C-alpha cells in the first residue's frame, strides 16, 4: 500500500511491490474502499465551503473592475480555482483510497513542505475569523436600530467596537476553547439559508430600487490597475475551498473521474453564478458608492434586519470553526524543525531483528489533525496559550480594521493563493514526474486497466489477438514479443483515440498537465507578489 512516507529509492516493482500495486489498484476502484457520500451531498458540502463572507464583498470588488471585466474575472478565478481542485483530485490517485490529505501528499513530494501549507491555512483561517468579527461590527448597529436603540439614548449601541466586544466576550471566547466542535456542524444549514436569503434580498432591491448615478456606473471601463489588482484577491478568496477537497475525495462513494469533475464543476459553477448575480445586481443598486459589506448598506426594514441578523448568527458560530484549524496549524508550525517530519513512519534504519511497518497502526491513524497528519498531543497550557493568542490578535485587528474587503484582499493575496494555486500545482508537478516511482506504479496500473478493458471490449481486438497468436506459433520467441507489443500498442492507440475530448478531462496527457500545473503555481506566485504589493503600498480605498 502507498505509504505516507517516500518509499526507498531502490524499491522494486516485483514481489511485494506487485501486491502493493494490486492493492492500490483495488483501492482506486470507484466502488471499493470509499465513503458513503453521494455526488449531490459532496457538491453541497464543497459549495458550502466556498460561499461565505466573500459574497458580501463581491459588489464592492466589481465596482473597481466594471461590469464586463468583473464578470470575466469572476469566471476566470473560478476556472483557475477549479483547476487547482482538479490537480488535487489527480494527486489523490497516487494515494490509497480514503487516505488523501495535504500531509500524506507532502510526505511523498516535499516532506518539509508541511510547514508551508500549515502556515497558509493558519493565515487564511485567521483572516476569515477577523473578517467575521468585522461583519458583526458592521451589521449589529443596524439590527439594534431596528429594535429601537435610537430611542434609548445610548450612543454606544451604534458603535461597532461595542458589538464586536459583546459578541467576543459572550459567544466567541466560550465557543473557541472546547476541543470538540461537533455541535457546530448544524450551522451549515443556517449558512445555506442565510446566503440564499442574501441573494434574494440583493436581487429584490435591484429590481425595486432606483439606480443612483447612472453616469457613474462602469460597464466597460475600470477604475484603474491599482484599484483592480488590489481587489482581485477578494474574488480569489471567495473561491477558496481547497483545504476541504481531500476530505471530499475521501468521503465520496464514487470517486470516478466523471464524478469528481462533476462535483468540482457543479460547486464552482454554482458559486460563480451566485457571485455574478450578487456582484452585478448589488453594484448596479448602489453604483460606485458601494462599500465592502453590501448588507450593511440597505436601509432599515424587516427584510434587511432579518438578513443582517441571519448573517450575524452565521459568522458568530463560524468563528470557532476557523479557530480550530488555525490553532492546529499554528501548533504544527511552532513544532516544525528543518529536516524533521511529523510522520511517525518516516523511513529510517530498520530495527535489528525485525522489520519496520509501512503504515502506522490503526490507533495511530485514528487520531489525525485537520490536515490528515498524525495528531500530536497538546498540553492544556499550550492549548490555552495558542487559543488566547489567536483570539486576542483577532479581536485587536477587528477593532482597528473596519474595511471588510481590505482584510479579504490580504488573506486572498497570501493564504488563498497558496492553497488554491501554488501548492496544488507544485504537488502535482512533483508527484507526476515520469522518474517518480509513484508515477511509474500508477502508469503501470493504468496500462494494465487499459489493456484489460481493450482485451475484452470488442471483436476487433479479439481478431488482432488471434492473428497475433497464429503469428507467434510460427515465429518463435522474438516474434511472440514483437506481436504482443504490436497488439498492445494498437489497443492503446485505439483506447487513446476513444478518450479524446472527454468531458471528464481524462484525455489530458500527463505531460500537458505537468506544464499547466507548473504554470498555475507560477501564476499563484505572481498574483501573491503583485496583489500583496498593491494592497500594501498602493491601496486606493474609498
Amino acid at each position: 500500500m502507498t505509504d505516507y512516507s517516500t518509499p526507498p529509492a531502490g524499491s522494486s516493482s516485483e514481489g511485494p511491490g506487485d501486491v502493493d500495486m494490486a492493492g492500490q489498484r483495488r483501492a482506486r476502484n470507484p466502488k471499493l474502499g470509499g465513503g458513503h457520500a453521494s455526488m449531490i451531498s459532496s457538491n453541497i458540502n464543497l459549495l458550502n465551503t466556498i460561499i461565505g463572507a466573500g459574497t458580501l464583498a463581491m459588489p464592492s470588488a466589481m465596482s473597481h473592475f466594471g461590469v464586463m471585466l468583473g464578470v470575466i474575472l469572476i469566471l476566470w478565478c473560478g476556472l483557475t480555482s477549479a483547476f487547482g481542485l482538479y490537480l488535487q483530485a489527480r494527486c489523490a490517485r497516487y494515494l490509497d483510497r480514503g487516505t488523501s490529505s495535504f500531509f500524506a501528499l507532502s510526505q511523498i513530494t516535499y516532506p518539509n513542505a508541511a510547514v508551508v501549507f500549515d502556515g497558509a491555512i493558519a493565515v487564511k483561517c485567521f483572516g476569515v475569523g477577523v473578517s467575521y468579527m468585522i461583519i458583526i461590527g458592521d451589521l449589529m448597529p443596524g439590527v439594534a436600530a431596528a429594535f429601537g436603540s435610537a430611542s434609548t439614548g445610548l450612543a454606544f449601541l451604534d458603535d461597532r467596537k461595542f458589538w464586536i466586544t459583546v459578541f467576543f466576550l459572550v459567544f466567541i471566547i466560550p465557543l473557541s476553547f472546547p476541543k470538540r466542535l461537533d455541535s457546530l456542524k448544524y450551522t451549515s444549514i443556517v449558512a445555506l439559508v442565510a446566503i440564499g436569503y442574501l441573494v434574494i434580498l440583493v436581487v429584490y432591491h435591484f429590481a425595486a430600487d432606483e439606480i443612483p448615478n447612472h453616469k457613474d456606473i462602469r460597464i466597460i471601463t475600470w477604475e484603474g490597475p491599482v484599484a483592480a489588482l488590489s481587489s482581485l484577491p477578494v474574488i480569489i478568496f471567495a473561491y477558496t475551498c481547497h483545504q476541504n477537497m481531500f476530505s471530499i475525495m475521501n468521503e465520496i462513494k464514487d470517486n470516478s473521474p466523471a464524478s469528481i469533475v462533476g462535483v468540482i464543476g457543479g460547486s464552482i459553477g454554482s458559486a460563480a453564478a451566485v457571485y455574478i448575480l450578487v456582484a452585478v445586481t448589488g453594484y448596479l443598486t448602489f453604483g460606485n458608492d458601494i462599500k465592502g459589506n453590501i448588507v450593511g448598506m440597505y436601509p432599515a426594514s424587516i427584510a434587511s434586519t432579518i438578513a443582517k441578523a441571519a448573517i450575524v448568527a452565521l459568522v458568530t458560530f463560524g468563528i470557532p470553526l476557523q479557530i480550530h484549524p488555525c490553532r492546529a496549524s499554528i501548533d504544527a508550525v511552532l513544532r516544525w524543525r528543518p529536516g524533521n517530519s511529523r510522520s511517525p513512519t518516516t523511513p529510517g534504519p530498520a530495527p535489528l531483528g525485525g522489520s519496520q511497518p509501512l503504515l502506522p497502526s490503526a490507533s495511530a491513524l485514528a487520531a489525525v489533525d485537520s490536515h490528515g497528519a498524525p495528531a500530536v498531543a497538546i498540553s492544556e497550557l499550550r492549548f490555552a496559550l495558542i487559543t488566547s493568542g489567536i483570539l486576542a490578535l483577532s479581536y485587536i485587528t477587528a477593532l482597528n480594521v473596519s474595511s471588510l474587503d481590505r482584510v479579504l484582499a490580504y488573506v486572498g493575496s497570501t493564504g488563498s493563493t497558496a492553497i488554491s494555486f501554488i501548492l496544488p500545482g507544485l504537488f502535482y508537478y512533483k508527484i507526476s514526474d515520469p522518474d517518480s516511482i509513484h508515477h511509474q506504479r500508477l502508469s503501470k496500473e493504468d496500462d494494465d486497466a487499459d489493456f484489460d478493458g481493450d482485451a475484452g471490449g470488442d471483436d476487433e481486438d479479439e481478431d488482432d489477438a488471434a492473428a497475433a497468436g497464429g503469428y507467434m506459433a510460427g515465429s518463435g520467441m522474438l516474434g511472440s514479443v514483437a506481436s504482443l507489443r504490436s497488439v498492445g500498442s494498437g489497443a492503446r492507440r485505439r483506447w487513446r483515440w476513444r478518450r479524446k475530448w472527454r468531458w471528464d478531462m481524462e484525455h489530458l496527457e500527463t505531460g500537458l498537465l505537468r506544464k499547466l500545473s507548473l504554470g498555475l503555481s507560477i501564476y499563484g506566485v505572481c498574483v501573491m507578489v503583485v496583489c500583496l504589493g498593491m494592497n500594501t503600498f498602493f491601496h486606493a480605498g474609498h
Side-chain angles (χ1 to χ4, degrees):
M1 299 178 70
T2 303
D3 187 13
Y4 283 140
S5 54
T6 306
S11 298
S12 173
S13 61
E14 298 178 358
D18 290 336
V19 177
D20 177 21
M21 287 180 287
Q24 190 180 34
R25 183 162 61 249
R26 287 194 299 271
R28 290 176 59 233
N29 189 314
K31 303 302 181 183
L32 296 176
H36 302 283
S38 66
M39 182 176 173
I40 295 178
S41 64
S42 299
N43 202 323
I44 293 175
N45 289 335
L46 194 60
L47 179 62
N48 190 36
T49 307
I50 298 173
I51 297 182
T55 312
L56 304 178
M58 201 61 66
S60 175
M62 178 162 283
S63 69
H64 301 296
F65 298 115
V67 174
M68 182 175 295
L69 181 59
V71 170
I72 293 175
L73 286 177
I74 290 175
L75 294 175
W76 167 252
C77 291
L79 180 63
T80 52
S81 294
F83 184 58
L85 294 172
Y86 177 71
L87 290 180
Q88 287 185 251
R90 296 284 295 216
C91 288
R93 301 184 185 186
Y94 295 87
L95 303 170
D96 286 341
R97 182 79 165 96
T99 64
S100 302
S101 68
F102 272 116
F103 177 79
L105 190 58
S106 70
Q107 295 307 292
I108 59 177
T109 51
Y110 307 98
N112 287 323
V115 67
V116 178
F117 65 77
D118 275 319
I121 292 177
V123 169
K124 180 185 181 297
C125 293
F126 174 81
V128 174
V130 171
S131 69
Y132 283 178
M133 292 187 189
I134 293 175
I135 292 173
I136 293 174
D138 288 345
L139 299 183
M140 276 309 299
V143 175
F147 286 93
S149 62
S151 60
T152 62
L154 302 176
F156 61 83
L157 293 178
D158 295 327
D159 186 3
R160 59 180 298 272
K161 295 182 178 180
F162 168 76
W163 288 109
I164 292 176
T165 303
V166 169
F167 275 76
F168 181 76
L169 296 175
V170 177
F171 298 105
I172 298 173
I173 290 180
L175 291 174
S176 298
F177 277 91
K179 294 184 178 181
R180 297 184 61 86
L181 302 175
D182 292 342
S183 60
L184 296 180
K185 61 186 177 183
Y186 298 106
T187 57
S188 296
I189 300 176
V190 179
L192 293 177
V193 173
I195 295 299
Y197 187 84
L198 168 65
V199 173
I200 296 174
L201 180 70
V202 173
V203 174
Y204 168 77
H205 277 279
F206 166 71
D209 297 349
E210 181 180 355
I211 300 177
N213 304 323
H214 296 290
K215 297 181 180 180
D216 295 333
I217 298 293
R218 302 186 182 101
I219 301 297
I220 300 178
T221 59
W222 63 338
E223 185 175 346
V226 174
L229 289 175
S230 298
S231 300
L232 178 60
V234 175
I235 304 179
I236 295 175
F237 170 87
Y239 282 106
T240 305
C241 60
H242 300 65
Q243 67 273 17
N244 287 344
M245 183 59 191
F246 285 128
S247 297
I248 298 294
M249 292 288 299
N250 293 336
E251 296 172 7
I252 192 170
K253 183 178 181 180
D254 179 8
N255 73 329
S256 63
S259 177
I260 297 303
V261 170
V263 170
I264 295 174
S267 56
I268 293 291
S270 300
V274 171
Y275 291 155
I276 291 175
L277 181 62
V278 172
V280 173
T281 56
Y283 173 53
L284 293 181
T285 301
F286 295 101
N288 294 322
D289 296 329
I290 188 74
K291 295 181 181 179
N293 185 351
I294 186 173
V295 178
M297 299 194 65
Y298 291 115
S301 65
I302 296 178
S304 63
T305 301
I306 293 175
K308 295 174 184 177
I311 292 177
V312 166
L314 164 65
V315 299
T316 299
F317 291 106
I319 291 175
L321 295 178
Q322 301 297 326
I323 299 293
H324 190 69
C326 184
R327 177 174 52 230
S329 295
I330 291 178
D331 179 59
V333 170
L334 294 176
R335 292 179 184 274
W336 181 81
R337 298 293 182 274
N340 182 32
S341 173
R342 285 182 289 159
S343 172
T345 58
T346 303
L352 296 176
S355 60
Q356 185 176 6
L358 290 177
L359 286 175
S361 62
S363 60
L365 286 176
V368 295
D369 63 17
S370 56
H371 316 313
V376 179
I378 180 172
S379 66
E380 295 294 337
L381 177 61
R382 187 182 183 91
F383 180 91
L385 288 176
I386 294 178
T387 305
S388 300
I390 296 172
L391 289 173
L393 190 58
S394 301
Y395 174 71
I396 294 173
T397 305
L399 289 183
N400 292 279
V401 180
S402 59
S403 176
L404 175 64
D405 54 347
R406 189 162 175 79
V407 172
L408 299 186
Y410 274 111
V411 178
S413 300
T414 54
S416 293
T417 53
I419 297 172
S420 303
F421 308 140
I422 301 175
L423 291 178
L426 289 179
F427 279 140
Y428 183 78
Y429 185 79
K430 177 70 172 181
I431 201 171
S432 62
D433 188 339
D435 296 329
S436 167
I437 186 174
H438 307 287
H439 183 71
Q440 292 172 3
R441 289 179 176 179
L442 187 66
S443 297
K444 183 180 185 303
E445 295 170 19
D446 291 340
D447 288 343
D448 291 343
D450 292 353
F451 185 80
D452 292 343
D454 284 325
D458 49 44
D459 295 336
E460 184 180 355
D461 293 342
E462 294 177 0
D463 294 340
D464 290 341
Y471 180 76
M472 284 187 287
S475 301
M477 181 59 69
L478 185 60
S480 300
V481 174
S483 301
L484 281 174
R485 287 178 177 173
S486 176
V487 173
S489 61
R492 282 193 292 272
R493 281 195 298 269
R494 284 190 295 274
W495 171 257
R496 288 169 182 167
W497 181 83
R498 289 198 297 267
R499 292 201 310 174
K500 285 185 178 179
W501 308 114
R502 292 174 53 168
W503 75 274
D504 59 5
M505 310 299 290
E506 287 302 290
H507 62 279
L508 295 178
E509 297 293 339
T510 302
L512 176 61
L513 276 178
R514 294 192 75 230
K515 294 177 181 178
L516 292 176
S517 66
L518 182 60
L520 183 69
S521 294
I522 296 174
Y523 166 75
V525 172
C526 293
V527 169
M528 177 182 291
V529 173
V530 173
C531 294
L532 189 60
M534 289 293 179
N535 278 283
T536 303
F537 302 107
F538 305 103
H539 180 75
H542 285 298

